[in-house]
Every structure is written in structure tokens, then in C-alpha cells.
Amino acid sequence: MAKSQILAIDAGGTMTDTFIIDEKGDFVVGKAQTTPDDEHIGLMKSAKDALDQWDTTSEKEFPNLLAGVYSGTAMLNRLVARVGVRVGLVLNKGMEDMHRMGRGLQSYLGYSYSDRIHINTHEFDEPLVPRKWTVGVTERVDVFGNVVIPLYEHEVEEAIQKLIDDDVEAIVISLLHSYSYPDHERKIRDIAEKMVTEQNKNIKIFATVDYYPVRKESHRTNTTIVEAYAAEPSRETLAKLDKSLREHGTNFDLRIMASHGGTISIEANELARTCVSGPIGGMVGAKYLSDNLGLKNVACSDIGGTSFDIGLITQGDLDIVSDPDMARLVLSLPLVSMDTTGAGTGSYVRIDPNYGNLTLGPDSAGALVGVCNPGSGIETVTVSDCHVVLGLINPDNFIGGAIQLSRERAYQAVKEQIAEPLGLSVEDAAFGVTELLESQLKNYLESMILGKGFSPSQYACFSYGGGGPLHTAGYTKGLGFEDILIPAWAAGFSAFGCGAADFEYRYDKTLDLNIAEKASDEEILEAGNELQAAWDELKQHVAAEFKKSDYTDDDVQYRLLYRMQYQGQLNDLEIEAPISAFKDVSDYRTLVKTFEETYTRVYAKSALSPELGYSITGAIVRGVVDVPLPKIPEEELSGETPPEEAFLGTRQIYWDEEWLDAKIYEMEKLLPGNKLDAFSIIESTATTLVVPTGFETYLDENRIFHLKELK
């Protein structure tokens, strides 16, 4: 057997997936329940589940591993629950209420559409930093980086001392327009660090210019606060996980999936960008798989126990947003563009007491599954309970039998909480829940694609996640996708994405370089030299991060990017520079040409407005080093008829007002080339693929199921 090389981990809200890649690029997927109080327990159980399929153990394989990549939601959970360290905040005098007030949209972030349109439902969460731990100092710099009021240094010591006396555990410094003139923030940082050292205090200092030197003070301040409030405590959790893995024989530095789609070290300076690492893994995996399959446009859909995550790959590229929101905060982080709704297989099902209609989520039973799990303590019906009632999932084979589900408990709960109040049979009530879920997911997926100016017919759809294959047919029906693909490893797809991600750092810097349409060569060179200086500065940051993992500058492949817009417009575009360095005026012409080609693709050729002049609004550097990546399976095609050993028999299932005998197949024993018609259920220990009436599926040589709607 080939030696294991890469361990990829996705610790979701419900399940922990491990994806182990050997030296040939072959892989195996394991699954176990997440253990939030000590994540390494769920990780080791999941790894055992994976390695059992190779008839080996962690004791034999972990010492062979060259790298490990983690993604999870622990940091995001800290933010949502507002459980972090005590942070003090230094702002401009007169701006002390900025963080507490937030932005207006923060009052409805995460709300359903029906709640967003009613202002009486809007409310702000408590700020991460209370007003009592916020202090102001006098200084002012304008938007161009000119000092209007010098820093009153005598106020700095008094402000810092107050925060030290208040026993804060971290101090964040954020001044207006510091990205244009960083000296004042750095002066305050130096004074604070000196005072903390002299008083023998364990307080870490965070200046925004050292982390996120970008415009939009609310976003920049929030992001640096997150760094202090949640990222540093999460670093300790990751260090414990790294230590635990080493105790089991590993000898690599653990990496984490970052929001921009690469992986970074747990020692990275900017750890806040790993907040939403789990769902990002799925998008990166979809990009890697689509590149290998030659697909340019892909709609990605991921159903887990707690949420439905969707995103688009257009013309082979992931869309990156620079000012996302999460945990009801606006942030300055490069984030792979995704949409999420709180609807998954663990979502609670209730009847609205005011209107008498069914509601799903947004809260979820998560790893506890539902009432059908006798040891869960859950009393409210979940979508998974409805699956059990309908016969769609095998209660004796949930996670390979690790949890025995009770159909009787699920049946009684659906009867009492849903069926009887609605005057329906238990089966019709359960089927109605799945129809409602799939209808919501379908509308959500379609509206995202149409809202970006595209049609589903222009895209293939990837469906993954533990719950994805159960509902793929329902939420894609009638949308007209080019193809619908479900990888056989769908249940561990986000972990697969972690294994497929580059080891990459990304640094951003805001610029304000305005160049008229007919600017002189001297003006162009001045702006170009400033852009190059920013790239050089950011390359040093990237190199310093890789140095922590013992990589030299020669090991790093640098990619230069820039943000550009027409002067006066609100939105800029992020573009990879087709040059290796800015040297002369011809390089500027190349940057403009590339910008206008991208602008034409995103908007329209008729919208080009060179007469407005151009603004270069940001410089970006991405550095990548080579790491082993998984190999997409390639197997010989067999006939259309599945082998006898794959057929497990039939099971009674309830579907659309009638009982049917569904053909049950074991996913791992199906062969490439096999074709299955309705009604079929394809079972694996970690997921279940339903092929309902009106559909058929085909397993290709890459072990990817193609779900086809019959006309």
C-alpha cells in the first residue's frame, strides 16, 4: 500500500470529515461526529473511519504524513456567541462611539428577507468592545495621508494606562486614514508595548496598519478587533490540536484554510481570515475538480447539518469580495464569495404559532441529529427525523452504524408536533417538510444565479456535503443545469477542498492612485512606482510568513494583483496583473487593457468609460509554494448494469402520497459506467444519494454521479 501524505480535516457544526491522500494521489474519506469541547476526539475517530477503509491505522500512517490542513467553525462560533477576550480600543478622539454604533446594515445582517423589510425587527448585537473600554486620542490625518492635527502623545499614555488598569487582555489601535499615513498608529503601538512591558502585563497590541491597512474604518476596525477578540484564543485551540496530532506521530506544521481560498500556518500574523474556513474548502474543492474536468461555469451547493452554502465559479474563477460580513459584523477580509442560509438536514421544524405554517431553522440540532437520536436529548423535530420517517435514510447505517437512529421516536415526534396540528398523516407531513426545504433551496440557488445576470442553463451544478445528495434532485428540478454532478466523496468534499488548496498567503494594501485618461508619462510613472512600492512591501510580508514554515524566497511563486475602477465609480475590480513588475509606461497600458477586458466581461462593453480616468485602489500579493495535491480518480468503465454485490435489496419508502419499493445500492460497490433509474437509493456510510421518480443517474470513470432529469 502507498504511504499516506496529506491529512485534510473539516470540523463542521455537525460532522468532522477527514480526507487522507497517499503518495499516488489516491484518497479516502472518513466521517465522525464533531466534538466541540475537544475537537481532536472527533478528528481521531474520523481518521480511524478513513484509514479502516485502507485496512491500516493512525499509528502506522500518521508518521508518514507530510502535511495537515484544518478547516472549522470554532472561531466563527466564538464570534457568534460573543465569547472572546477582553479587548480595549484606541480611536480618534470624538470617534469613541464608532464601533458601538456600527453600520446601519449590521442591524439586519443574517435576517430573512421578511424580517429585513420590517424595521421594527432590526437590532444591533452587543459590540465586541464595550464603550467603557474604548478611549480616544487627539490626531487627524486626511484621506490623502496629510497630517492635519499631529498626534498628542501626552494623551496616549493616559489612554493606554486606563485600559491597562481596566485589566483588558488585548488592545486594538485604529485611527482614521491610517492606511495612508501609518506613523501615528505605530507610535501609539510602540508606546503601548513599552508600557505593557514595563508593567509586566501580558497584553498583546494590535495596530490596524500591521494587519489590515485598507480603507473603510468600520470594516478595518472590526477585523482587527476580531483578530484580538477571537483569533488569538482560537490560535491556542489550534496549537492544542497541533500538539495532539504530534502526540499521535505527526511531524508537520498544521495549516488552516483561509477565507481567500489558500491555506496558511497557525502561526500566521492574520488569523482572522480563517473564520469561515469550512465552507471555503468546498468552493476550493469545486474549483480544483472543475479545472480537472474542464468545466468553466459551476454552481456549487453544499448541504450540511446546519446550513446550505452556495457559490459560483464563472469562467474558471472564484469571485473574491473584499468587504464581507460575518457574525453580523462588516469586515475587511478577502473572502471567496458565497451565500449561506440556515437550512440543513439538522434544521428544526416548527409550526409558526401566529400563522400556522411550517418554518425551518435557522437553528439546528447540529451533531445531535434530531429526536431520532435516542441519546441526543433533542425534543424538537428536525429535517433528519423526516428522512427517517420517509425511509430515505437507513437508521441502522447512520455514520456506518456509529449512531443507531430510532424510527419510532422520529415517527411519534413528527406526529405530535407537525402532522396532528396540520391535520395530515405523519408521512405526508414529513414529505411536506422535505418539499418545503427543497423549494427554499431551489429558490435560493436560482435567485443567486439570476441575480448575478446569468442563467442556470449556463452552469453545471456540483452538489456535495453530507446532506446534499439526499436533496439534489429536489432543489435542481426544472432549473435546466447543463449537468448535475455529485462526487462519490461528496460527504467529505470540504475536506477534499482543504487537501486541494495551495499553501498560500495573501496581503492587501489600499492605494489612491488617480490617473487621467490622457495623463502625462511622468504622472503615469509616478503612480506606477507607488504601485510597485506597495507590491514590494507586500511581498516582504508574504516572504516573512513563509519563513515561519522554513521556506525561502526562492520557494515562493508570487502573483501580483491590483484593484482598479473608473474615477468616481463606487465599485472596483480585482484583477491579476499580466506583468511581473511595473517598469515603464507600457506596463500601465497593459494594466488598463486588462482592466477594461475584465470590465467588459463583468458589465458590458458599452459601459466602458475611459473619459472618466482610472483609479488604482489597491495592491495585492499572493505567494504560493508547491504542496502535494489529490488525484481525481480514473477507473475503467464497466457496463450499465450494476454488479449483484452492489444491490442490497429493497426498502419501503414514502414518496408523493404513495409507498414505493426503492432499490437500495451500496455506493462503494457500484462500478463506473453503471446506470441507475428511479426509484433508487445509493447508500454510503457518510451520505445517501436519492434518485427519485423522473430522474436517473450514471457513475463516470472519475467516480462522479451525473444526475439527469428525464423529460
Side-chain angles (χ1 to χ4, degrees):
M1 169 186 154
K3 293 180 179 178
S4 301
Q5 285 203 330
I6 306 292
L7 170 66
I9 309 149
D10 176 32
T14 304
M15 310 298 289
T16 293
D17 304 326
T18 52
F19 188 89
I20 301 175
I21 309 165
D22 70 16
E23 59 190 350
K24 295 179 181 177
D26 296 328
F27 56 81
V28 67
V29 180
K31 206 171 189 72
Q33 279 188 291
T34 294
T35 49
D37 294 334
D38 191 347
E39 289 192 359
H40 108 273
I41 296 174
L43 190 165
M44 294 307 300
K45 288 181 178 178
S46 182
K48 180 181 184 302
D49 180 55
L51 293 171
D52 281 349
Q53 299 169 53
W54 277 348
D55 295 321
T56 186
T57 64
S58 59
E59 288 78 13
K60 290 180 181 177
E61 295 302 320
F62 274 25
N64 299 328
L65 292 170
L66 302 178
V69 182
Y70 167 91
S71 71
T73 57
M75 190 190 311
L76 184 60
N77 292 340
R78 284 183 194 274
L79 282 178
V80 172
R82 295 299 196 262
V83 181
V85 304
R86 298 185 301 278
V87 178
L89 180 60
V90 181
L91 299 170
N92 294 80
K93 185 166 282 188
M95 299 290 292
E96 292 92 341
D97 290 302
M98 178 188 74
H99 173 62
R100 182 173 66 89
M101 291 170 63
R103 300 295 294 261
L105 60 81
Q106 288 178 229
S107 66
Y108 56 80
L109 283 178
Y111 281 16
S112 65
Y113 180 74
S114 59
D115 283 331
R116 288 186 182 197
I117 62 176
H118 296 296
I119 196 167
N120 60 317
T121 67
H122 295 191
E123 64 177 0
F124 287 92
D125 288 346
E126 287 296 312
L128 297 182
V129 180
R131 180 65 176 81
K132 65 181 179 179
W133 293 337
T134 304
V135 296
V137 296
T138 301
E139 75 89 53
R140 185 54 60 92
V141 171
D142 68 20
V143 69
F144 302 108
N146 301 311
V147 177
V148 179
I149 302 174
L151 176 66
Y152 285 20
E153 293 186 26
H154 63 280
E155 294 182 1
V156 173
E157 290 192 10
E158 181 182 343
I160 298 298
Q161 189 59 54
K162 177 189 181 303
L163 296 178
I164 293 174
D165 294 342
D166 286 343
D167 199 28
V168 299
E169 298 170 275
I171 296 174
V172 170
I173 305 159
S174 180
L175 302 178
L176 290 173
H177 308 305
S178 59
Y179 60 87
S180 292
Y181 185 84
D183 293 18
H184 287 172
E185 265 195 26
R186 289 175 176 157
K187 183 66 175 177
I188 297 173
R189 177 201 64 194
D190 294 344
I191 293 172
E193 288 178 344
K194 182 172 181 288
M195 293 176 66
V196 165
T197 301
E198 289 175 348
Q199 297 179 44
N200 198 27
K201 297 288 186 178
N202 184 22
I203 301 173
K204 188 165 182 180
I205 312 300
F206 297 79
T208 67
V209 293
D210 295 333
Y211 289 85
Y212 305 98
V214 293
R215 63 163 57 84
K216 296 186 178 179
E217 60 272 5
S218 293
H219 300 66
R220 172 166 48 93
T221 303
N222 286 342
T223 310
T224 312
I225 290 172
V226 168
E227 198 73 56
Y229 181 88
E232 282 303 308
S234 296
R235 194 189 301 274
E236 296 173 13
T237 301
L238 291 167
K240 290 178 183 176
L241 189 62
D242 186 43
K243 181 182 177 185
S244 175
L245 286 168
R246 289 180 184 277
E247 289 171 354
H248 283 86
T250 65
N251 190 33
F252 54 71
D253 293 324
L254 186 65
R255 306 199 312 266
I256 325 157
M257 177 61 70
S259 60
H260 63 267
T263 60
I264 62 177
S265 165
I266 63 173
E267 300 299 327
N269 191 45
E270 300 176 3
L271 206 61
R273 62 178 64 209
T274 65
C275 260
V276 287
S277 54
I280 301 301
M283 292 294 294
V284 173
K287 171 75 165 62
Y288 182 76
L289 183 57
S290 62
D291 285 347
N292 277 270
L293 298 178
L295 298 173
K296 291 292 185 182
N297 296 332
V298 177
C300 308
S301 57
D302 177 0
I303 304 181
T306 57
S307 65
F308 180 57
D309 303 312
I310 54 179
L312 292 181
I313 299 170
T314 304
Q315 292 299 307
D317 292 325
L318 293 169
D319 185 26
I320 303 289
V321 293
S322 59
D323 54 354
D325 62 80
M326 61 187 74
R328 306 197 73 214
L329 295 166
V330 291
L331 302 174
S332 288
L333 288 172
L335 176 70
V336 173
S337 180
M338 294 178 61
D339 285 332
T340 299
T341 185
T345 56
S347 295
Y348 288 122
V349 184
R350 301 182 179 93
I351 295 178
D352 188 299
N354 296 315
Y355 303 104
N357 60 301
L358 278 177
T359 62
L360 301 179
D363 50 341
S364 164
L368 299 176
V369 187
V371 180
C372 57
N373 179 6
S376 67
I378 298 295
E379 297 180 354
T380 303
V381 169
T382 68
V383 174
S384 291
D385 291 316
C386 297
H387 293 153
V388 173
V389 168
L390 296 171
L392 296 178
I393 59 176
N394 183 351
D396 299 322
N397 192 39
F398 192 76
I399 324 178
I403 301 176
Q404 293 289 314
L405 304 181
S406 167
R407 186 181 188 280
E408 292 72 24
R409 285 176 58 86
Y411 186 94
Q412 193 62 30
V414 173
K415 177 182 178 182
E416 294 175 359
Q417 298 177 33
I418 309 297
E420 290 181 347
L422 294 177
L424 299 171
S425 70
V426 175
E427 292 81 9
D428 283 333
F431 187 73
V433 168
T434 62
E435 278 200 311
L436 176 62
L437 172 67
E438 290 169 358
S439 174
Q440 290 182 354
L441 301 185
K442 178 180 175 179
N443 291 339
Y444 199 62
L445 181 59
E446 183 180 30
S447 63
M448 185 199 69
I449 297 172
L450 296 177
K452 294 184 181 294
F454 300 106
S455 164
S457 62
Q458 297 172 276
Y459 285 79
C461 179
F462 282 3
S463 177
Y464 50 88
L470 264 170
H471 297 285
T472 306
Y475 70 76
T476 60
K477 186 176 181 179
L479 292 184
F481 284 111
E482 280 186 352
D483 197 0
I484 301 167
L485 298 89
I486 306 165
W489 61 99
F493 198 78
S494 289
F496 163 77
C498 292
D502 292 322
F503 186 11
E504 175 189 306
Y505 285 97
R506 168 183 168 133
Y507 272 81
D508 299 49
K509 181 181 176 67
T510 286
L511 298 173
D512 282 303
L513 305 177
N514 297 307
I515 306 146
E517 179 188 15
K518 298 179 180 178
S520 66
D521 288 356
E522 291 75 15
E523 291 170 323
I524 290 172
L525 286 173
E526 182 180 353
N529 290 336
E530 192 169 338
L531 172 62
Q532 184 60 49
W535 277 336
D536 290 341
E537 177 188 340
L538 297 177
K539 282 176 74 172
Q540 291 176 7
H541 288 310
V542 170
E545 294 285 19
F546 277 119
K547 190 175 180 181
K548 295 175 184 176
S549 301
D550 298 323
Y551 287 99
T552 67
D553 203 49
D554 292 336
D555 298 321
V556 184
Q557 303 161 40
Y558 291 103
R559 295 170 56 195
L560 307 181
L561 299 94
Y562 62 105
R563 302 191 73 91
M564 184 179 263
Q565 66 187 59
Y566 288 117
Q567 288 189 40
Q569 293 192 341
L570 292 176
N571 299 315
D572 56 13
L573 294 173
E574 180 177 311
I575 306 160
E576 182 158 0
I579 59 175
S580 58
F582 190 100
K583 298 173 183 174
D584 52 40
V585 173
S586 66
D587 290 324
Y588 172 73
R589 308 290 182 210
T590 302
L591 296 180
V592 168
K593 181 180 179 222
T594 306
F595 162 70
E596 296 199 320
E597 288 172 350
T598 307
Y599 194 93
T600 298
R601 190 171 71 246
V602 173
Y603 300 109
K605 188 172 183 179
S606 59
L608 295 175
S609 307
E611 71 279 0
L612 297 176
Y614 304 89
S615 292
I616 298 175
T617 56
I620 303 159
V621 170
R622 301 177 75 159
V624 180
V625 298
D626 291 329
V627 291
L629 297 173
K631 181 180 70 176
I632 306 303
E634 286 188 29
E635 301 178 6
E636 288 188 14
L637 290 174
S638 300
E640 292 187 356
T641 304
E644 289 185 12
E645 57 267 26
F647 182 63
L648 300 177
T650 62
R651 183 167 70 235
Q652 281 259 301
I653 62 103
Y654 189 83
W655 192 265
D656 199 14
E657 301 184 345
E658 62 178 334
W659 287 97
L660 301 172
D661 286 321
K663 293 167 286 189
I664 313 299
Y665 295 91
E666 185 176 345
M667 184 179 291
E668 287 74 19
K669 291 184 179 177
L670 292 173
L671 301 175
N674 290 171
K675 183 181 287 188
L676 303 175
D677 58 11
F679 202 121
S680 295
I681 294 179
I682 305 168
E683 294 184 344
S684 176
T685 57
T687 192
T688 299
L689 169 58
V690 174
V691 185
T693 306
F695 284 83
E696 65 180 16
T697 193
Y698 165 81
L699 180 63
D700 72 13
E701 65 273 20
N702 303 123
R703 295 206 67 79
I704 297 171
F705 290 94
H706 296 256
L707 191 64
K708 181 180 178 182
E709 185 176 359
L710 302 176
K711 302 302 181 184

